[in-house]
Amino acid sequence: MTETLLRNWICEIGRRLYQRDMIAAADGNISVRFGEDRFICTPSGMSKGFLRPDDLVIADSTGRKIAGEKKVTSEFFTHLKAYEIRPETQAVIHAHPTYATVLTILGIDTTIPILPEVVMNMVALPVAAYATPGSLEGAEVIATLIKDYDALLLERHGAITLGADLQEAYMRMERLEHAAKTLYLCHLAGKPKPLPPDALEKLMAVTVPEGTLPPPYPFPQKED
Ligand SMILES: [Zn+2]
């Protein structure tokens, strides 16, 4: 994909995140790998719902700005940690989707397998520990989980998703928030029932190659 197309796609995905209420004000950030040691990323302090291609900046793998007028997002170090640990990753999205954030504030177990499409696409939705937004700590807290998962909730701070391209990272964010909303509504109305073990087994068999099941599997089933 050309640089122009990538820039257009970042702006388009920013608009979708904004329109779907997954970011507010200047929240969130998007980046894409672009050539050797180069990333195109969103600037800090701007609404990602109204970006123009020229607002984007180019940075290297140390977080240094290479091109662009605006400042590199302070959360770019968290993106860089994901690119470092998962070198196949081409795009990273961080957003503040409401239901995902609410679940982490309530301390609700988000790894409970309730939706087949989540198991098939992302296995589970674990939560990374709280870190001050924009700090280097933000990169540290995702390091362990991001090895095995393409989508993480961040305690009190939205979520992060990875993808082989921007569209995949975006779809994972949308799916994550839909799953979070579903789980929240289940808790509101009663007690969510997890997928039965045999159904889960079948899903995992078609989803994850044998021997590569990431933890936690089988999923912890909380008794209450
Ligand atoms: Zn954030």
Side-chain angles (χ1 to χ4, degrees):
M1 208 181 269
T2 65
E3 181 177 347
T4 304
L5 261 177
L6 287 172
R7 283 176 181 265
N8 288 339
W9 262 110
I10 290 176
C11 296
E12 171 62 24
I13 282 168
R15 272 191 289 279
R16 291 189 198 182
L17 291 169
Y18 181 75
Q19 283 163 358
R20 291 189 64 93
D21 206 18
M22 294 199 277
I23 47 175
D27 293 347
N29 24 78
I30 305 164
S31 71
V32 63
R33 207 190 278 277
F34 176 64
E36 187 67 26
D37 194 30
R38 292 291 181 271
F39 301 87
I40 307 175
C41 56
T42 50
S44 68
M46 290 186 74
S47 169
K48 312 309 176 293
F50 300 90
L51 287 174
R52 292 169 311 166
D54 287 349
D55 294 325
L56 304 176
V57 292
I58 295 180
D60 68 11
S61 57
T62 66
R64 189 169 58 102
K65 186 170 83 173
I66 303 295
E69 285 176 20
K70 308 275 187 328
K71 212 173 140 203
V72 180
T73 169
S74 60
E75 286 174 331
F76 186 53
F77 289 105
T78 306
H79 292 227
L80 284 176
K81 180 57 81 179
Y83 286 117
E84 178 198 321
I85 292 179
R86 299 280 301 278
E88 80 282 13
T89 293
Q90 296 298 315
V92 176
I93 298 178
H94 164 57
H96 292 189
T98 307
Y99 287 94
T101 308
V102 165
L103 292 182
T104 71
I105 294 169
L106 291 172
I108 288 174
D109 178 14
T110 58
T111 61
I112 176 175
I114 56 166
L115 295 174
E117 66 271 22
V118 172
V119 177
M120 291 172 80
N121 286 281
M122 300 181 287
V123 182
L125 298 171
V127 182
Y130 177 77
T132 306
S135 70
L136 289 175
E137 212 187 348
E140 287 161 25
V141 296
I142 67 158
T144 307
L145 289 169
I146 211 75
K147 283 180 200 154
D148 296 314
Y149 294 96
D150 296 313
L152 304 181
L153 278 69
L154 309 175
E155 191 181 332
R156 297 176 188 270
H157 187 202
I160 187 165
T161 56
L162 318 184
D165 53 37
L166 277 165
Q167 290 87 337
E168 187 175 54
Y170 173 74
M171 296 257 261
R172 284 180 170 145
M173 187 62 77
E174 206 176 280
R175 197 180 292 287
L176 173 151
E177 176 62 347
H178 176 256
K181 183 176 180 180
T182 304
L183 183 60
Y184 176 77
L185 292 175
C186 286
H187 275 279
L188 213 58
K191 187 180 174 189
K193 281 195 290 185
L195 279 158
D198 59 330
L200 194 54
E201 210 65 57
K202 285 181 195 164
L203 286 170
M204 295 301 285
V206 295
T207 307
V208 184
E210 209 178 342
T212 62
L213 299 184
Y217 182 82
F219 300 94
Q221 307 279 311
K222 276 194 179 163
E223 294 295 330
D224 54 20

